[in-house]
Amino acid sequence: MSILILLIVTILLVFMQGFVIGKFALRGLSYERRFSSDHADEGDEVQMIEVIRNRKFLPVPWVKAESRISPYLKFNSDPDIQISGERYHKSVFYLKPFHQITRTHHVILTKRGYYKAGSVSVQAGDLFAMHTPRMQVDTGAAIEVYPGLLSPADIPLPSTRWQGDLLVKRWILPDPVWVSGIRPYTAGDEPGDIHWRATARTGQLQVKVHEMTADPKMLVIINSQMSETQWGDLMEYEQQVVEHMISLTATLCLNALRQGVEAGFAINVPVDEEDEPTVLPPARSSTREGELLSAMAHLTIKRTRTILKVLDDLCCYTGMDMLLLSVYDSELLQKKMNALRRAGNTVALQLIDMREAK
């Protein structure tokens, strides 16, 4: 009889702990996730930080946080389960009353892109998993992975020469700040350029002579098509070629900006899931590098317009140095490039070797 009573008491205790602990397991429980930085370069290592808190008197025997994370975020810890190309990340915790746990994972960023890791399924339960309530948490964790930059040896020689020509500053314009001398006034001179003290001294209108400076504007154009008639999705090896061109574009733009040149880029794929191709006109500011790299991180390799249509749209710009990156040349491409030249731009074509870009 005593054994039967002990068994009944044990069963009652099991059910009671399951009801009390399991039913209230998620109450007062919070989960946070964030990356140590909101952006980093391809190949860098960052930290993914998890913080879980239990704000109640009851302990939580186990908490499991599960989420799907891109396979391009590689964890240094134990390998996660991968299904259909996606990584399933799992963390398990035990929480005492009014207890907090912070866990740090080291993550290697293996590919350019914008990665969200904010949606997490949090499940908790009692000792015997009789009650296992679950909740979905959106932590907002995301990171921009900028394209990797190329070394000077990896930049094609014609591109290097083209950029070198650009940095010689061929676009010569008067600088309104620096004055090298004065000369007699002629019809068409700006009234604001009149040098009144020299005019009073000579008795004739004199104007300022400005030093000459340059205002170059560089636009790199990426053709994501592998042939003129190609449409639809790109194969994996073709996407690698486009990724190489994005890295080359990032390298050229950053080098130009650091030489004081306005820089921008265009490509016939969209940012995120938009339907329009991406065009960032040349500009120069303290935040320009970040703007360009952020846009490149969000590029989706999905063509929304042919390169010929993009080149047509760029004819509205003038006074720019344009470099077209493409794996092929054609009569139609040359025709569109000539139209850009007639609009007042200089245009060069850089052919990309698909074998070297892989």
Side-chain angles (χ1 to χ4, degrees):
M1 180 64 70
S2 60
I3 295 177
L4 180 60
I5 293 173
L6 180 61
L7 181 61
I8 292 173
V9 171
T10 301
I11 293 174
L12 288 175
L13 288 175
V14 169
F15 275 96
M16 286 179 61
Q17 70 84 31
F19 176 79
V20 176
I21 296 179
K23 182 178 177 63
F24 298 99
L26 293 180
R27 185 167 297 182
L29 195 72
S30 66
Y31 176 87
E32 299 174 7
R33 173 187 284 179
R34 67 182 185 275
F35 288 100
S36 55
S37 176
D38 57 2
H39 65 268
D41 296 328
E42 182 180 338
D44 283 355
E45 180 180 297
V46 297
Q47 295 177 338
M48 189 182 80
I49 303 165
E50 295 179 294
V51 180
I52 191 166
R53 300 181 181 90
N54 181 23
R55 297 189 178 93
K56 60 179 180 292
F57 288 100
L58 288 173
V60 184
W62 61 269
V63 181
K64 182 168 61 177
E66 294 180 297
S67 62
R68 291 188 297 179
I69 294 180
S70 169
Y72 299 117
L73 303 183
K74 183 179 179 182
F75 287 77
N76 279 343
S77 55
D78 295 336
D80 300 310
I81 299 173
Q82 291 198 39
I83 301 176
S84 300
E86 289 190 300
R87 173 177 283 114
Y88 285 77
H89 182 266
K90 179 173 68 175
S91 293
V92 180
F93 308 87
Y94 160 68
L95 290 168
K96 295 181 288 188
F98 297 101
H99 187 56
Q100 172 181 306
I101 295 176
T102 300
R103 188 170 292 171
T104 300
H105 306 273
H106 295 274
V107 184
I108 299 175
L109 310 173
T110 63
K111 187 177 181 181
R112 173 204 65 84
Y114 177 64
Y115 301 104
K116 296 180 179 180
S119 182
V120 183
S121 174
V122 178
Q123 187 178 24
D126 61 281
L127 287 169
F128 299 98
M130 299 182 65
H131 294 276
T132 57
R134 184 189 299 266
M135 65 179 179
Q136 198 71 21
V137 179
D138 187 3
T139 65
I143 187 167
E144 294 178 341
V145 181
Y146 295 162
L149 301 181
L150 304 183
S151 65
D154 293 328
I155 299 177
L157 185 58
S159 292
T160 307
R161 287 177 176 172
W162 172 83
Q163 191 179 32
D165 290 341
L166 174 63
L167 297 183
V168 171
K169 302 182 176 181
R170 294 176 286 111
W171 294 96
I172 303 300
L173 297 171
D175 190 316
V177 177
W178 298 100
V179 178
S180 61
I182 57 173
R183 61 170 174 79
Y185 176 87
T186 58
D189 286 334
E190 294 290 337
D193 285 338
I194 296 176
H195 196 298
W196 293 108
R197 292 174 63 182
T199 297
R201 186 173 62 251
T202 61
Q204 294 181 338
L205 280 176
Q206 303 290 317
V207 295
K208 304 169 187 175
V209 177
H210 296 282
E211 286 283 1
M212 306 306 285
T213 186
D215 187 25
K217 296 178 174 64
M218 183 187 81
L219 182 70
V220 182
I221 308 164
I222 303 172
N223 178 12
S224 67
Q225 294 169 222
M226 300 297 108
S227 68
E228 201 153 76
T229 58
Q230 185 184 35
W231 194 248
D233 294 333
L234 292 172
M235 302 293 288
E236 179 64 29
Y237 74 93
E238 295 173 325
Q239 292 187 31
Q240 293 177 10
V241 177
V242 179
E243 293 291 345
H244 174 76
M245 289 193 282
I246 293 173
S247 291
L248 175 56
T249 299
T251 304
L252 293 174
C253 287
L254 264 58
N255 288 345
L257 287 170
R258 291 164 186 175
Q259 295 288 337
V261 176
E262 295 185 25
F265 80 98
I267 183 173
N268 55 332
V269 303
V271 166
D272 295 327
E273 296 300 323
E274 298 177 3
D275 294 327
E276 295 296 320
T278 304
V279 178
L280 271 73
R284 184 178 67 248
S285 68
S286 59
T287 61
R288 187 57 173 174
E289 286 191 17
E291 293 168 356
L292 290 174
L293 293 173
S294 177
M296 292 176 184
H298 285 262
L299 289 176
T300 301
I301 309 302
K302 178 188 71 174
R303 284 189 307 280
T304 55
R305 193 166 299 181
T306 67
I307 190 62
L308 299 178
K309 184 63 173 67
V310 171
L311 295 178
D312 281 338
D313 294 342
L314 293 176
C315 284
C316 64
Y317 296 104
T318 188
M320 293 187 183
D321 291 274
M322 297 182 176
L323 176 66
L324 174 60
L325 305 179
S326 176
V327 300
Y328 69 90
D329 191 7
S330 70
E331 291 185 8
L332 282 176
L333 271 184
Q334 290 295 334
K335 180 180 178 181
K336 300 302 181 182
M337 292 167 63
N338 287 331
L340 289 169
R341 293 184 182 106
R342 289 193 296 270
N345 305 288
T346 63
V347 187
L349 172 65
Q350 173 64 61
L351 291 176
I352 303 297
D353 190 329
M354 293 183 64
R355 295 168 298 179
E356 296 180 0
K358 293 180 183 179

